[in-house]
Amino acid sequence: RPNGFRFLSSNGFTPEPGPMSELPDLAALLGGRLGGDEPTAGMAGVENAQQLWAMLDEMALSDPAAYAEFMSAQMDAMQAEEAAALPQPAFCARVHVSEPAAMAGALFVNACGHRSMKPAASPDGPINLAVGVLRDGEVDAELAAATALACTRSADAAHFVDVLTSHEQLARARADAGYRRELCELFVQCVEQTHGLRVKRNSLTLLNPLRLGYAGGKVQRFRDARAPAPAA
């Protein structure tokens, strides 16, 4: 059985870079800095960027096919990096929240892997994890079908939360159904502590990962519940 857990929040979980619009500028990627206390490095970065743009302009004119292939490869690489930064869903579970009364109802816990999460130091050691923010939504038809035995109907209101841990921990859970349930029980305990909830433990239902691996719509970038809220 997992021997406890270790929260990784604002001082442990390492957020991945934002979407492409938030990537560093080209000069920074080339090793220079714009502004700051290092004007020489900044100028070198600008010069490197100018040289690169000039090379790309020349390629676009002299060999449009090679230019298109190069730019396509760069876009594919950035999209692959962006996808890798997202939580990787593994399986999910449903549990019933009893308190507070305003939150009463179905809660779906998504077990996700993330490359920044380190595996436990030993098979029985504390598990590194991070609990995300609660999201409100409603049950769609696919989710209702996957939880038919749990009496969850389409269009019912529900709550959703992502819990991150290491890919290694989730691989073990996928191969061992007993461990998967124990891990979900641990995740639910962490969600209770983080969000001040009380759930009916005997209501925990693991969804078949072959039917549904993630509840609550499209996978989103992780927002740590214990980290400061993003600025408006």
Side-chain angles (χ1 to χ4, degrees):
R1 180 179 178 84
N3 183 21
F5 56 89
R6 181 183 297 111
F7 275 124
L8 294 182
S9 58
S10 56
N11 61 350
F13 170 70
T14 304
E16 294 293 331
M20 293 181 197
S21 61
E22 299 173 18
L23 290 173
D25 59 62
L26 183 58
L29 289 173
L30 292 172
R33 301 181 184 176
L34 296 178
D37 297 327
E38 301 183 29
T40 303
M43 292 176 64
V46 171
E47 291 174 358
N48 289 340
Q50 291 173 339
Q51 291 174 3
L52 178 58
W53 286 121
M55 180 190 72
L56 292 176
D57 288 343
E58 181 179 352
M59 181 188 296
L61 293 173
S62 61
D63 193 341
Y67 175 79
E69 182 179 356
F70 173 81
M71 295 304 294
S72 177
Q74 296 305 305
M75 290 297 297
D76 288 345
M78 286 193 291
Q79 290 173 358
E81 179 70 16
E82 177 72 7
L86 291 173
Q88 303 298 307
F91 47 85
C92 59
R94 177 197 182 277
V95 70
H96 186 84
V97 176
S98 56
E99 296 180 13
M103 289 284 295
L107 169 66
F108 292 90
V109 180
N110 293 309
C112 300
H114 197 276
R115 61 188 183 185
S116 70
M117 307 298 288
K118 295 181 179 180
S122 66
D124 296 323
I127 295 172
N128 295 317
L129 58 85
V131 176
V133 298
L134 285 173
R135 306 192 306 275
D136 295 330
E138 66 177 34
V139 176
D140 59 21
E142 182 183 18
L143 182 52
T147 57
L149 296 180
C151 301
T152 302
R153 298 170 301 179
S154 182
D156 279 356
H159 311 288
F160 305 90
V161 65
D162 296 345
V163 179
L164 299 192
T165 190
S166 68
H167 291 297
E168 292 83 356
Q169 227 69 53
L170 294 177
R172 178 183 172 188
R174 279 191 291 264
D176 184 339
Y179 182 74
R180 182 161 66 246
R181 184 171 188 87
E182 292 174 352
L183 197 60
C184 280
E185 291 173 349
L186 179 63
F187 289 173
V188 168
Q189 177 188 348
C190 297
V191 171
E192 283 184 301
Q193 291 187 17
T194 301
H195 292 289
L197 306 177
R198 179 173 295 180
V199 306
K200 295 179 180 178
R201 296 298 178 88
N202 61 0
S203 69
L204 179 63
T205 303
L206 274 66
L207 278 62
N208 185 339
L210 298 179
R211 295 192 64 180
L212 187 74
Y214 188 85
K218 186 178 179 181
V219 180
Q220 303 179 25
R221 296 188 72 84
F222 183 74
R223 288 178 54 202
D224 194 327
R226 296 164 65 91

